[in-house]
Amino acid sequence: MTVETIKNWRELNPLGWSGLVTDEDLFTSPEWLRIEEEPVGPWHSKDRAYLAAVGPRGAEAGLIALLFDESVTEPLCRTDLYVAGLDPALDQDALSRDLLPCVMAGGWFNSRVLLAPGLSGGARRQAVESLVAAAEDFAADSSAGSIAFSCVGAQQHELRSVLTDAGYLALPTGPRHVMSVGWDEYAGYLGSLRSRQRLRVRKEHQRILDSDVSTRVERMDGSNVADVARLARAVEGKYEMDATSDQLEEWFRAIAAAPIPNVLFTADRKGARCASTLWLSRGRHLYGFHSGADYELSDGLPTYFETAYRMPMDYACASAGSIGVLEYGVDSDRAKLNRGSTALDQYVYLKATSPEVQRRLEAGLTRSSTVTG
C-alpha cells in the first residue's frame, strides 16, 4: 500500500475514490470536492491534498486535507478560533500566530478516513496511520501551525486511537444530529414524539396554516439562487458571521451547477420569500445545508421550523423509502432534540506542528476541556 497525493478532483475516480464514499460522506465525495476547488464562497481553502492509500486494486483508503488561513472566519475551519471559544482567557493573537495557517483533515462534517468495504483490521489500522502521517506531512510542507480533525464521531474508534497515539489533543465539540426516517407518512413521525413535543410541533404548523404564509418544495437553480443567498445572508448577519451576499450567491450557484441533487423548502408571504432551507442529497441521506430567513417579513411566525423540520420530514416520509436519514449537523441542540433527533457525540482532535506550542496549548486549556481518546 502506497500513499498518493492528488490535487484535482478529476483524478480521484480513476483510483476508485467514489467506492470509498458512503451516504454519510457527501462532503468528501468528488461531486462536492469539485466545488471546494472553485474560488468561491466564504470557506474557500488556500490549498488541498486528497490523500489515497493505494493497493493493487486501487484506492483502499482516503483522507482529504484542506489548508485555511485568516481569510476564513468559520471556527470549524480555524483551529485558533475554535480554541479561543473554549477558553476566553487565552490570547487570541497568540493563538492565531501559533496555529495558523491550519490544516483541516477529514472534512468539516463527519471527519474520518474513508475505508474500502471489507478491508481487514490490520490493513485498516495501517491505512489510517499512513494517511494521518501524510496529512501531517502536507501540514508541514504548507508551513501550517496546526492540524485538526474537526468532527470525529465517537464511534470512530480506530481513527481516535491513532490520533491519540500520535499526540493529538482531544477536545469537545457539539454533537451531530440525525433523524432516522422510519415512517411512510408524516403522521407516523408525529406519533413517535412525546406528547409535549407533539403538541409544540402541531401548534407551530397550525400557526402557519392560520397565516398568509404559503410553502413550496423546489429545486435550487438559477431562477431562485439570488433569493436563497439573500435569506442566507440575513441568518449569517444575525449570528455575526462575515460571509457576504456575493460570496454566498456565487457559492450557491456553484452548488446548483454541481451533480448533487438538492431540494429547497420555501415559505412566501405578501408576495415575497420569507424563509428557505437548502438540502443536499447523497444516497439515502438528505443533508440540511443552509437556512435563510427574512425576519421582518416572517414577523414572528415559525417559518424556520416549518421549512427546516416539518417540510423535510414530510418530504422524506413521502419518498417511499428513498430517504432514510435527515442530517441536521451541529448546533441548536434543544430544538433538534425536541423534534426527535438523535445526538451523535463527536470531538475535535488537534495537534500543533510545533511541540512547544502543543505543550503550551495543553497547559492553557483546562482539564475539563479535554476528553479521553
Side-chain angles (χ1 to χ4, degrees):
M1 185 183 299
T2 60
V3 175
E4 296 186 15
T5 300
I6 297 100
K7 291 288 190 176
N8 189 300
W9 67 270
R10 292 178 179 85
E11 299 173 19
L12 294 174
N13 279 338
L15 290 175
W17 185 280
S18 290
L20 307 176
V21 180
T22 72
D23 291 357
E24 294 185 87
D25 302 312
L26 169 63
F27 300 108
T28 55
S29 69
E31 294 83 2
W32 178 261
L33 295 176
R34 65 183 284 176
I35 300 170
E36 290 279 2
E37 291 184 22
E38 296 188 34
V40 299
W43 295 6
H44 182 59
S45 58
K46 292 299 180 182
D47 195 9
R48 65 204 58 81
Y50 311 135
L51 306 166
V54 180
R57 291 174 293 181
E60 297 182 349
L63 177 66
I64 70 169
L66 306 175
L67 181 71
F68 292 98
D69 63 13
E70 68 281 351
S71 65
V72 173
T73 59
E74 169 55 52
L76 279 176
C77 304
R78 288 262 306 265
T79 53
D80 61 322
L81 296 180
Y82 170 75
V83 172
L86 282 180
D87 189 345
L90 295 175
D91 185 331
Q92 175 65 67
D93 290 338
L95 287 172
S96 298
R97 184 178 61 250
D98 290 339
L99 300 178
L100 291 182
C102 60
V103 167
M104 182 186 65
W108 48 265
F109 181 95
N110 188 29
S111 311
R112 74 184 194 95
V113 172
L114 306 175
L115 293 165
L119 200 62
S120 68
R124 288 168 61 94
R125 175 84 186 198
Q126 179 188 357
V128 173
E129 289 176 340
S130 297
L131 292 177
V132 168
E136 293 185 7
D137 289 342
F138 171 66
D141 292 343
S142 304
S143 299
S146 59
I147 179 171
F149 291 71
S150 61
C151 296
V152 179
Q155 75 283 3
Q156 297 289 332
H157 301 296
E158 208 155 37
L159 176 58
R160 294 179 66 196
S161 173
V162 168
L163 294 175
T164 298
D165 290 349
Y168 284 71
L169 183 63
L171 301 166
T173 192
R176 166 186 161 208
H177 289 267
V178 300
M179 288 191 191
S180 296
V181 182
W183 313 274
D184 57 9
E185 57 181 20
Y186 185 75
Y189 158 72
L190 274 182
S192 73
L193 300 177
R194 295 195 296 269
S195 59
R196 183 176 296 181
Q197 296 171 324
R198 187 162 56 247
L199 179 62
R200 178 187 292 112
V201 169
R202 282 176 168 161
K203 282 184 174 179
E204 288 169 353
H205 183 48
Q206 192 61 48
R207 287 186 64 197
I208 296 294
L209 294 177
D210 293 342
S211 73
D212 57 351
V213 170
S214 60
T215 60
R216 293 180 60 183
V217 180
E218 305 176 358
R219 182 182 181 277
M220 184 178 71
D221 57 25
S223 69
N224 55 23
V225 70
D227 263 341
V228 176
R230 175 181 61 83
L231 296 174
R233 173 59 204 144
V235 172
E236 295 268 329
K238 177 182 178 181
Y239 294 102
E240 301 182 342
M241 303 299 286
D242 292 338
T244 67
S245 297
D246 287 346
Q247 284 178 320
L248 291 167
E249 183 169 345
E250 65 184 9
W251 200 26
F252 292 143
R253 287 193 185 279
I255 292 169
I260 299 173
N262 76 67
V263 60
L264 190 66
F265 301 103
T266 69
D268 292 1
R269 187 170 186 241
K270 298 180 180 179
R273 187 133 295 170
C274 62
S276 68
T277 61
L278 172 64
W279 295 69
L280 307 178
S281 174
R282 183 173 182 87
R284 298 185 69 241
H285 285 234
L286 195 61
Y287 293 75
F289 185 72
H290 214 298
S291 64
D294 183 324
Y295 296 104
E296 182 176 353
L297 188 56
S298 292
D299 194 25
L301 290 167
T303 53
Y304 169 73
F305 295 110
E306 184 75 6
T307 58
Y309 293 100
R310 194 202 67 79
M311 293 177 72
M313 181 56 77
D314 189 30
Y315 180 84
C317 289
S319 72
S322 63
I323 300 171
V325 176
L326 297 178
E327 294 274 6
Y328 275 93
V330 299
D331 297 331
S332 303
D333 295 345
R334 179 171 295 183
K336 293 169 183 176
L337 291 170
N338 282 341
R339 286 159 182 80
S341 77
T342 298
L344 306 177
D345 289 339
Q346 52 185 10
Y347 307 99
V348 172
Y349 280 79
L350 169 65
K351 186 177 184 180
T353 53
S354 161
E356 163 99 15
V357 172
Q358 183 77 354
R359 284 192 291 270
R360 290 205 309 267
L361 193 62
E362 291 174 354
L365 291 170
T366 61
R367 184 174 298 274
S368 61
S369 294
T370 60
V371 297
T372 302

